[in-house]
mmCIF file of all heavy atoms in Angstrom:
data_model
loop_
_atom_site.group_PDB
_atom_site.id
_atom_site.type_symbol
_atom_site.label_atom_id
_atom_site.label_comp_id
_atom_site.label_asym_id
_atom_site.label_seq_id
_atom_site.Cartn_x
_atom_site.Cartn_y
_atom_site.Cartn_z
ATOM 1 N N VAL C 9 -98.925 -71.850 110.648
ATOM 2 C CA VAL C 9 -99.585 -70.551 110.886
ATOM 3 C C VAL C 9 -100.481 -70.228 109.607
ATOM 4 O O VAL C 9 -99.982 -70.244 108.561
ATOM 5 C CB VAL C 9 -98.509 -69.333 111.060
ATOM 6 C CG1 VAL C 9 -99.420 -68.094 111.300
ATOM 7 C CG2 VAL C 9 -97.578 -69.718 112.165
ATOM 8 N N ARG C 30 -108.128 -77.185 121.691
ATOM 9 C CA ARG C 30 -107.901 -76.180 122.700
ATOM 10 C C ARG C 30 -107.484 -74.935 121.935
ATOM 11 O O ARG C 30 -106.589 -74.841 120.995
ATOM 12 C CB ARG C 30 -106.647 -76.521 123.640
ATOM 13 C CG ARG C 30 -106.953 -77.680 124.403
ATOM 14 C CD ARG C 30 -108.032 -77.741 125.480
ATOM 15 N NE ARG C 30 -108.101 -78.991 126.266
ATOM 16 C CZ ARG C 30 -108.872 -79.926 126.023
ATOM 17 N NH1 ARG C 30 -109.641 -79.888 124.896
ATOM 18 N NH2 ARG C 30 -108.875 -80.883 126.845
ATOM 19 N N SER C 44 -116.084 -55.639 133.448
ATOM 20 C CA SER C 44 -117.467 -56.236 133.514
ATOM 21 C C SER C 44 -117.612 -56.849 132.003
ATOM 22 O O SER C 44 -118.305 -57.969 131.950
ATOM 23 C CB SER C 44 -118.549 -55.015 133.715
ATOM 24 O OG SER C 44 -118.338 -54.667 134.999
ATOM 25 N N GLU C 47 -115.713 -60.089 131.570
ATOM 26 C CA GLU C 47 -116.361 -61.243 132.358
ATOM 27 C C GLU C 47 -117.473 -61.773 131.558
ATOM 28 O O GLU C 47 -117.677 -62.969 131.440
ATOM 29 C CB GLU C 47 -116.657 -60.804 133.799
ATOM 30 C CG GLU C 47 -117.221 -61.786 134.512
ATOM 31 C CD GLU C 47 -117.580 -61.314 135.943
ATOM 32 O OE1 GLU C 47 -116.916 -60.469 136.430
ATOM 33 O OE2 GLU C 47 -118.526 -61.864 136.570
ATOM 34 N N ARG C 52 -120.411 -65.750 127.719
ATOM 35 C CA ARG C 52 -121.292 -65.937 126.644
ATOM 36 C C ARG C 52 -120.707 -66.404 125.336
ATOM 37 O O ARG C 52 -121.401 -66.927 124.445
ATOM 38 C CB ARG C 52 -121.961 -64.613 126.312
ATOM 39 C CG ARG C 52 -123.086 -64.100 127.578
ATOM 40 C CD ARG C 52 -124.061 -65.136 127.898
ATOM 41 N NE ARG C 52 -124.902 -64.790 128.866
ATOM 42 C CZ ARG C 52 -126.068 -64.204 128.724
ATOM 43 N NH1 ARG C 52 -126.492 -63.872 127.361
ATOM 44 N NH2 ARG C 52 -126.848 -63.821 129.692
ATOM 45 N N TYR C 112 -124.508 -62.230 120.638
ATOM 46 C CA TYR C 112 -124.661 -61.950 122.185
ATOM 47 C C TYR C 112 -126.058 -61.529 122.429
ATOM 48 O O TYR C 112 -126.319 -60.374 122.217
ATOM 49 C CB TYR C 112 -123.562 -61.035 122.660
ATOM 50 C CG TYR C 112 -122.125 -61.514 122.458
ATOM 51 C CD1 TYR C 112 -121.425 -61.015 121.480
ATOM 52 C CD2 TYR C 112 -121.708 -62.545 123.348
ATOM 53 C CE1 TYR C 112 -120.066 -61.507 121.166
ATOM 54 C CE2 TYR C 112 -120.361 -62.973 123.212
ATOM 55 C CZ TYR C 112 -119.606 -62.452 122.081
ATOM 56 O OH TYR C 112 -118.357 -62.974 121.979
ATOM 57 N N ALA C 148 -102.219 -56.287 139.592
ATOM 58 C CA ALA C 148 -102.400 -55.831 141.025
ATOM 59 C C ALA C 148 -103.486 -54.551 141.020
ATOM 60 O O ALA C 148 -103.692 -54.150 142.076
ATOM 61 C CB ALA C 148 -101.134 -55.365 141.542
ATOM 62 N N VAL C 157 -123.426 -53.500 130.646
ATOM 63 C CA VAL C 157 -122.615 -53.884 129.456
ATOM 64 C C VAL C 157 -123.701 -54.033 128.310
ATOM 65 O O VAL C 157 -124.754 -54.718 128.552
ATOM 66 C CB VAL C 157 -122.028 -55.297 129.722
ATOM 67 C CG1 VAL C 157 -121.444 -55.800 128.445
ATOM 68 C CG2 VAL C 157 -120.890 -55.162 130.816
ATOM 69 N N LEU C 162 -119.951 -55.769 123.850
ATOM 70 C CA LEU C 162 -119.507 -57.165 123.619
ATOM 71 C C LEU C 162 -119.045 -57.407 122.222
ATOM 72 O O LEU C 162 -117.894 -58.018 121.989
ATOM 73 C CB LEU C 162 -120.654 -58.124 123.864
ATOM 74 C CG LEU C 162 -121.028 -58.216 125.436
ATOM 75 C CD1 LEU C 162 -122.361 -59.017 125.472
ATOM 76 C CD2 LEU C 162 -119.928 -58.954 126.251
ATOM 77 N N ASP C 184 -105.514 -88.119 110.474
ATOM 78 C CA ASP C 184 -104.331 -87.698 109.482
ATOM 79 C C ASP C 184 -104.059 -86.149 109.712
ATOM 80 O O ASP C 184 -104.946 -85.425 109.610
ATOM 81 C CB ASP C 184 -104.642 -87.852 108.031
ATOM 82 C CG ASP C 184 -103.517 -87.455 107.164
ATOM 83 O OD1 ASP C 184 -102.349 -88.085 107.236
ATOM 84 O OD2 ASP C 184 -103.664 -86.500 106.445
ATOM 85 N N PHE C 211 -93.554 -57.137 134.398
ATOM 86 C CA PHE C 211 -93.343 -56.443 135.669
ATOM 87 C C PHE C 211 -92.334 -55.228 135.406
ATOM 88 O O PHE C 211 -91.363 -55.421 134.626
ATOM 89 C CB PHE C 211 -93.025 -57.186 136.740
ATOM 90 C CG PHE C 211 -94.128 -58.107 137.206
ATOM 91 C CD1 PHE C 211 -93.872 -59.514 137.491
ATOM 92 C CD2 PHE C 211 -95.373 -57.709 137.464
ATOM 93 C CE1 PHE C 211 -94.767 -60.348 137.971
ATOM 94 C CE2 PHE C 211 -96.307 -58.581 138.087
ATOM 95 C CZ PHE C 211 -96.030 -59.832 138.260
ATOM 96 N N ALA C 239 -86.942 -65.868 141.275
ATOM 97 C CA ALA C 239 -87.054 -67.192 140.498
ATOM 98 C C ALA C 239 -86.588 -66.981 139.127
ATOM 99 O O ALA C 239 -86.390 -65.919 138.575
ATOM 100 C CB ALA C 239 -88.540 -67.725 140.626
ATOM 101 N N ASP C 304 -97.552 -62.345 162.535
ATOM 102 C CA ASP C 304 -96.194 -62.151 162.669
ATOM 103 C C ASP C 304 -95.397 -63.448 163.091
ATOM 104 O O ASP C 304 -94.296 -63.637 162.544
ATOM 105 C CB ASP C 304 -95.950 -61.261 163.992
ATOM 106 C CG ASP C 304 -96.219 -59.679 163.554
ATOM 107 O OD1 ASP C 304 -96.304 -59.463 162.374
ATOM 108 O OD2 ASP C 304 -96.418 -58.882 164.534
ATOM 109 N N ARG C 305 -95.987 -64.325 163.613
ATOM 110 C CA ARG C 305 -95.396 -65.494 163.994
ATOM 111 C C ARG C 305 -95.274 -66.450 162.755
ATOM 112 O O ARG C 305 -94.204 -66.985 162.378
ATOM 113 C CB ARG C 305 -96.221 -66.295 164.907
ATOM 114 C CG ARG C 305 -95.724 -67.699 165.324
ATOM 115 C CD ARG C 305 -94.531 -67.618 166.365
ATOM 116 N NE ARG C 305 -93.966 -69.054 166.697
ATOM 117 C CZ ARG C 305 -94.470 -69.834 167.433
ATOM 118 N NH1 ARG C 305 -95.642 -69.663 168.106
ATOM 119 N NH2 ARG C 305 -93.912 -70.971 167.689
ATOM 120 N N ASP C 320 -78.037 -74.131 154.537
ATOM 121 C CA ASP C 320 -77.545 -75.415 154.697
ATOM 122 C C ASP C 320 -77.960 -76.299 153.424
ATOM 123 O O ASP C 320 -77.348 -77.418 153.200
ATOM 124 C CB ASP C 320 -78.019 -76.116 155.887
ATOM 125 C CG ASP C 320 -77.745 -75.294 157.169
ATOM 126 O OD1 ASP C 320 -76.633 -74.689 157.131
ATOM 127 O OD2 ASP C 320 -78.395 -75.328 158.273
ATOM 128 N N ARG C 332 -88.655 -87.615 143.052
ATOM 129 C CA ARG C 332 -89.684 -88.507 142.893
ATOM 130 C C ARG C 332 -90.995 -87.903 142.733
ATOM 131 O O ARG C 332 -91.966 -88.321 141.948
ATOM 132 C CB ARG C 332 -89.684 -89.619 144.001
ATOM 133 C CG ARG C 332 -88.509 -90.538 143.864
ATOM 134 C CD ARG C 332 -88.680 -91.716 144.861
ATOM 135 N NE ARG C 332 -88.862 -91.362 146.190
ATOM 136 C CZ ARG C 332 -87.902 -91.223 147.117
ATOM 137 N NH1 ARG C 332 -86.581 -91.443 146.740
ATOM 138 N NH2 ARG C 332 -88.141 -90.888 148.303
ATOM 139 N N THR C 338 -95.354 -84.941 137.066
ATOM 140 C CA THR C 338 -95.375 -84.921 135.566
ATOM 141 C C THR C 338 -96.228 -85.936 134.930
ATOM 142 O O THR C 338 -96.968 -85.678 134.011
ATOM 143 C CB THR C 338 -93.904 -84.975 135.094
ATOM 144 O OG1 THR C 338 -93.161 -83.876 135.745
ATOM 145 C CG2 THR C 338 -93.817 -84.870 133.574
ATOM 146 N N LEU C 365 -92.821 -80.841 128.352
ATOM 147 C CA LEU C 365 -93.050 -81.528 129.733
ATOM 148 C C LEU C 365 -92.433 -82.877 129.733
ATOM 149 O O LEU C 365 -91.653 -83.126 130.772
ATOM 150 C CB LEU C 365 -94.504 -81.627 129.881
ATOM 151 C CG LEU C 365 -94.871 -81.946 131.476
ATOM 152 C CD1 LEU C 365 -94.319 -80.984 132.355
ATOM 153 C CD2 LEU C 365 -96.372 -82.035 131.555
ATOM 154 N N GLU C 403 -103.812 -56.110 167.868
ATOM 155 C CA GLU C 403 -102.465 -56.300 168.534
ATOM 156 C C GLU C 403 -101.532 -57.073 167.750
ATOM 157 O O GLU C 403 -100.352 -56.850 167.855
ATOM 158 C CB GLU C 403 -102.861 -56.982 169.953
ATOM 159 C CG GLU C 403 -101.673 -57.218 170.863
ATOM 160 C CD GLU C 403 -102.148 -57.764 172.144
ATOM 161 O OE1 GLU C 403 -103.221 -57.864 172.453
ATOM 162 O OE2 GLU C 403 -101.224 -58.115 172.953
#
Side-chain angles (χ1 to χ4, degrees):
V9 181
R30 302 292 184 270
S44 295
E47 180 179 332
R52 294 304 181 92
Y112 297 101
V157 177
L162 290 169
D184 176 67
F211 286 133
D304 284 347
R305 181 79 185 280
D320 301 336
R332 290 194 299 271
T338 299
L365 192 56
E403 181 179 353

